[in-house]
Amino acid sequence: MKFTYMLAATLVGGLILAPLAPAAAEAVYPSKPIRVIVPFAAGGATDQVARLLATKVSASLGTPVVVENRPGANGNIGAETVAQAAPDGYTLLHSTSALGFTAAFGQKVSYALDKNLEPVSLLIDQPLLIMASNPLGVANVADLKAYARQHPGKLNYGSSGTGNLTHLAMFVLLQAAGIEATHIPYKGGAGAFPDFIAGRLDLFADPINSAYPYVRDGRVKALAVTGMQRSALLPDVPTASEVILPGFQMGAWQALMAPAGTPPEVIARVNHAYVVALKDSEVTARLASQGAVAKATSPQEFRTFLSAEIERWKKVVQDSGIQLD
């Protein structure tokens, strides 16, 4: 009888405790390192911010946050990696406005943005710098237009990838300025700068946080900034709206996403850690020094923002008839 009673008690206790096991596992998140996939090359604008935030988030969550670069296909290789990952909060995507462009232009990818990826938070926003190589010898947009008239079909411009924000910005602005130039895509901005500095690329657009050091050191020439106001970092550089296309504004944003199906409580934990990091005085100062602005949001706020961005660029495609390579 005593043995039967103990066996029954053991079985009942097991049944009571079994349903609590998943909850207990979730309660200790994170219990191992977190991978943050950056779908662009190391050293570029996105990578710089991802690593800055990863350090703070790692301290907040008490676990290593490891940045892993998966460049290619305008950010879609990295996005596909995360979309196919286990929805457990240990693989995250630190991506950019390229996500919105992929959806807006209807590019063929192996994942569905609205079905396979879960919004976590918008992170930052910053304008682009439109730049010319020093060997080209132009000091401003007026000089560039004159050069293009004198050397028709001779100019080229680089981008961080076909269909990327940097590609679209240059495409629209060169078209508005009546300048013909050949597009040369790269796998991220970091890979383009050596060729740009050497003069093998004539023109290039890149987010201000990664482009500014090259301008500051005199290795390339800034022609315009794509924000509606001039940048405090480069107050003498006009906006594209001033000198090329009135009303033009284009910003590069970065954001965090997780695989669809990631538990809401895990999403909330990660969101909180990133929001805290973005409010950190060291982080905000570092971002400001690079011309970037922190834009922490809730998951739902980011979802609403992303939907609006996609619709905005769909309209641009329809109204302008822009055809990407």
Side-chain angles (χ1 to χ4, degrees), residues 17-315:
L17 293 174
L20 299 179
E26 290 172 3
V28 299
Y29 174 87
S31 60
K32 62 181 181 179
I34 297 169
R35 283 194 310 159
V36 175
I37 304 297
V38 172
F40 298 100
T46 311
D47 182 69
Q48 289 179 31
V49 175
R51 293 178 188 277
L52 172 64
L53 293 176
T55 300
K56 298 294 181 180
V57 171
S58 177
S60 176
L61 292 178
T63 195
V65 177
V66 181
V67 173
E68 182 178 316
N69 300 91
R70 291 286 187 93
N74 193 27
N76 286 311
I77 289 177
E80 289 169 357
T81 299
V82 177
Q84 296 166 5
D88 54 11
Y90 292 102
T91 304
L92 304 171
L93 176 67
H94 183 123
S95 195
T96 68
S97 42
L99 278 174
F101 290 126
T102 293
F105 290 112
Q107 295 173 331
K108 293 182 179 179
V109 291
S110 65
Y111 68 95
L113 181 59
D114 59 342
K115 295 179 180 179
N116 302 126
L117 291 170
E118 189 78 23
V120 178
S121 179
L122 190 62
L123 299 174
I124 70 160
D125 188 31
Q126 79 269 11
L128 306 180
L129 281 181
I130 308 300
M131 301 166 286
S133 68
N134 287 337
L136 188 63
V138 301
N140 50 49
V141 171
D143 285 352
L144 178 62
K145 290 179 179 179
Y147 181 95
R149 287 194 298 269
Q150 295 165 8
H151 305 85
K154 298 296 184 181
L155 289 171
N156 63 42
Y157 69 97
S159 77
S160 296
T162 299
N164 183 272
L165 177 73
T166 58
H167 176 197
L168 185 62
M170 289 298 296
F171 182 96
V172 172
L173 291 174
L174 289 173
Q175 187 178 64
I179 295 172
E180 292 184 13
T182 300
H183 175 227
I184 302 176
Y186 286 76
K187 291 183 178 181
F193 270 107
D195 283 347
F196 186 38
I197 293 169
R200 291 185 287 272
L201 281 179
D202 298 318
L203 303 167
F204 189 57
D206 205 46
I208 195 170
N209 64 336
S210 58
Y212 174 67
Y214 298 98
V215 175
R216 179 196 61 206
D217 296 345
R219 287 181 283 176
V220 298
K221 178 68 178 178
L223 303 180
V225 63
T226 65
M228 282 305 293
Q229 289 82 37
R230 295 189 181 197
S231 170
L233 293 178
L234 297 165
D236 294 332
V237 176
T239 66
S241 180
E242 290 177 72
V243 294
I244 303 177
L245 181 60
F248 181 86
Q249 179 183 16
M250 184 177 283
W253 50 262
Q254 296 179 27
L256 193 73
M257 303 194 84
T262 300
E265 57 270 28
V266 173
I267 293 287
R269 184 85 191 275
V270 174
N271 174 271
H272 179 262
Y274 271 86
V275 168
V276 170
L278 287 164
K279 292 180 179 179
D280 181 90
S281 58
E282 180 186 353
V283 170
T284 55
R286 285 275 300 277
L287 292 176
S289 72
Q290 299 171 355
V293 179
K295 292 284 186 179
T297 67
S298 69
Q300 184 54 51
E301 287 170 337
F302 175 38
R303 187 188 303 276
T304 300
F305 169 85
L306 181 57
S307 178
E309 277 288 280
I310 292 171
E311 291 306 312
R312 179 163 79 104
W313 290 111
K314 278 184 179 178
K315 189 174 188 306

